[in-house]
Amino acid sequence: MKQIVVVGAGPAGMMAAIKAAENGAEVTILEKMKKPGRKMMITGKGRCNITNAADVPEIIRNIHGNGRFLNSSMRAFDNQDVIYFFEGLGVPTKVERGNRVFPVSDKAQDVVDAMVERLHELGVAIETDTAVKDILTQEGKAAGVRTKTGAIYKADAVILCVGGASYPGTGSTGDGYEMAKALGHSIAAVRPSLVPLVAEDEWVKDVQGLSLRNVRGTLRVDGEKVAEMFGEMMFTHYGVTGPIILSMSRTASEYLAEQDRFVELSINLKPALSEEKLDARIQRDFEKYQRKQLGNALVDLLPHKLIGPVLDSAFLAPDKPVHQITVEERHRLVEALQDLTLVITGTRPLAEAIVTVGGVSVKEINPKTMESKLVPGLYFAGEVVDVDGYTGGYNLQAAFSMGAAAGNWCVWND
């Protein structure tokens, strides 16, 4: 019976342990936190977006950080397999907008509890409050691990699933990068993804907490469009967040890491309307509120908090009577409504990111088995690997697919 040690009890680690145990291995999970699945508990705002119901090629396209690396592992254990897996554990699922798959209960706790119960059924030992210091090798092969207290766990294979460097309070503190690096692995530069953006514009503080739906965000760098998303966003005291912002943040962080790049976010508040139709809509409102001041004539068109920033962007005074607005001023208002611009100066810290960009280089990992090409018997899965995707269940799917591959092949490989 093979002895397998899994380092980390997140989604990838628990899936790897389950698959290894189902294949007859004796498995031990070492988890530094007090409970397994800490980061899973906060995914999907506590609802756990376990996967996406799109077809596999579409999922891979939405894993913009080395998605093609997952071709083999995801086809071996795809999104339908994930759904069947959880439904088999008594966690029924549902599909919501954007093909996002959630447990019917809307409780991440149910997902974690189901995996932990399956681990117990299989006789997997879960040792919490146990932080691993380094991976041991013998004759060039992985032979076990040493904990920070000096305890040694011998193994025929080690699966490293300690996560990235985001949300360190859940246990993802970047430890895995150092362990892998010590064995000769290259670590792709680490930076935040799925993270809020920081704006220099003071007015965002006045509109903090305001959510917008059905808007189009365009990220521009030095005046050139580099990303565009349609959907929801929200203003905060430091800048912007929400689904479309998080999805564009990976691109933003890439350019922000370079010197002397001017990054800005353009918000089209009325993307469903052409300039002509929006102008016609404004004229109707002006006719309705012709005896009012401009600032009071936009209440049907905009949330109250945004009227000031939009008028400032259009260089229009809120107290100017509507009947005095010129055609040229009205056109400036149309432009401001469809190109409300913020200067982006940074991202929130990596500790606040949902996902880490970077990690163990995929060039040094067998994409079919997840085994290290440098150290036989060492496997990787999850966010410690240089793989990351958009919001929508793609990152958890990647973790489950990699974990399943590592858990299967660590037993099947000689």
Side-chain angles (χ1 to χ4, degrees):
M1 184 180 289
K2 280 198 171 183
Q3 308 286 320
I4 308 296
V5 168
V6 177
V7 186
M14 288 195 285
M15 183 63 77
I18 287 169
K19 292 300 178 183
E22 287 177 346
N23 280 288
E26 186 174 319
V27 185
T28 300
I29 299 180
L30 304 179
E31 167 57 47
K32 70 191 296 186
M33 305 303 287
K34 293 183 182 297
K35 292 182 179 180
R38 283 290 301 275
K39 193 169 182 181
M40 286 179 73
M41 293 293 294
I42 61 174
T43 60
K45 297 180 180 178
R47 297 171 60 216
C48 200
N49 183 187
I50 60 171
T51 187
N52 192 283
D55 59 23
V56 170
E58 178 66 15
I59 293 176
I60 289 174
R61 280 193 292 273
N62 279 280
I63 298 174
H64 46 181
N66 294 314
R68 285 185 292 178
F69 170 77
L70 298 175
N71 262 315
S72 294
S73 62
M74 195 169 292
R75 291 184 187 282
F77 191 76
D78 65 15
N79 53 344
Q80 292 303 314
D81 292 318
V82 168
I83 292 169
Y84 296 150
F85 171 82
F86 281 108
E87 293 194 341
L89 296 182
V91 182
T93 62
K94 60 181 177 179
V95 180
E96 296 188 0
R97 184 171 48 85
N99 281 322
R100 297 167 189 242
V101 180
F102 290 91
V104 169
S105 67
D106 285 330
K107 294 179 181 178
Q109 185 72 61
D110 292 349
V111 177
V112 175
D113 287 348
M115 295 191 82
V116 171
E117 186 176 341
R118 180 60 178 153
L119 288 165
H120 288 320
E121 286 176 358
L122 293 165
V124 174
I126 306 173
E127 301 197 16
T128 54
D129 273 327
T130 306
V132 171
K133 180 180 180 182
D134 48 24
I135 297 163
L136 306 175
T137 60
Q138 187 173 350
E139 297 178 356
K141 297 181 180 180
V145 301
R146 177 171 29 233
T147 69
K148 290 188 176 179
T149 62
I152 291 176
Y153 291 78
K154 294 183 178 180
D156 297 299
V158 174
I159 309 177
L160 192 61
C161 309
V162 292
S166 56
Y167 282 141
T170 65
S172 299
T173 53
D175 303 4
Y177 305 140
E178 295 305 315
M179 290 185 229
K181 195 173 180 180
L183 295 177
H185 275 280
S186 306
I187 308 300
V190 173
R191 65 177 193 276
S193 182
L194 302 187
V195 65
L197 299 178
V198 177
E200 73 172 19
D201 308 75
E202 287 294 321
W203 62 263
V204 299
K205 296 176 183 176
D206 299 326
V207 298
Q208 62 179 294
L210 176 64
S211 294
L212 301 176
R213 299 183 67 182
N214 302 320
V215 298
R216 179 175 289 113
T218 300
L219 198 67
R220 294 195 291 251
V221 176
D222 300 332
E224 298 291 326
K225 182 173 76 173
V226 296
E228 189 173 75
M229 289 280 171
F230 175 84
E232 301 175 23
M233 61 168 288
M234 185 176 77
F235 292 99
T236 68
H237 67 282
Y238 52 77
V240 285
T241 188
I244 66 171
I245 302 302
L246 298 180
S247 292
M248 292 191 289
S249 65
R250 186 186 197 275
T251 303
S253 71
E254 183 178 349
Y255 286 103
L256 289 164
E258 301 175 6
Q259 288 188 338
D260 302 321
R261 303 307 292 266
F262 182 66
V263 181
E264 57 186 342
L265 172 71
S266 166
I267 307 167
N268 186 339
L269 297 166
K270 302 294 176 183
L273 300 177
S274 65
E275 289 183 25
E276 294 76 14
K277 288 183 178 180
L278 180 55
D279 186 41
R281 163 68 195 276
I282 291 171
Q283 290 183 63
R284 289 196 299 273
D285 283 4
F286 281 5
E287 180 68 24
K288 179 180 178 181
Y289 296 111
Q290 57 183 301
R291 297 184 184 278
K292 291 184 176 290
Q293 294 179 333
L294 180 57
N296 296 322
L298 300 178
V299 291
D300 295 345
L301 195 64
L302 286 170
H304 179 74
K305 285 184 177 181
L306 267 189
I307 292 175
V310 167
L311 291 179
D312 285 345
S313 179
F315 300 101
L316 294 172
D319 58 356
K320 186 169 184 175
V322 167
H323 68 270
Q324 293 181 12
I325 300 297
T326 66
V327 172
E328 190 274 334
E329 288 173 327
R330 202 175 68 237
H331 288 166
R332 292 210 309 264
L333 179 57
V334 169
E335 184 177 346
L337 286 164
Q338 296 195 316
D339 188 18
L340 183 62
T341 303
L342 296 167
V343 176
I344 303 301
T345 56
T347 69
R348 294 294 287 175
L350 179 57
E352 295 181 26
I354 297 173
V355 170
T356 307
V357 174
V360 180
S361 173
V362 297
K363 296 177 181 178
E364 299 166 359
I365 303 172
N366 183 321
K368 182 179 180 180
T369 66
M370 295 296 136
E371 186 175 22
S372 165
K373 293 180 180 179
L374 309 182
V375 183
L378 173 61
Y379 295 77
F380 298 97
E383 203 177 340
V384 71
V385 180
D386 183 18
V387 170
D388 64 282
Y390 291 120
T391 58
Y394 305 111
N395 290 292
L396 272 181
Q397 176 63 51
F400 291 139
S401 292
M402 285 189 276
N408 286 323
W409 284 98
C410 72
V411 181
W412 298 340
N413 279 348
D414 291 328

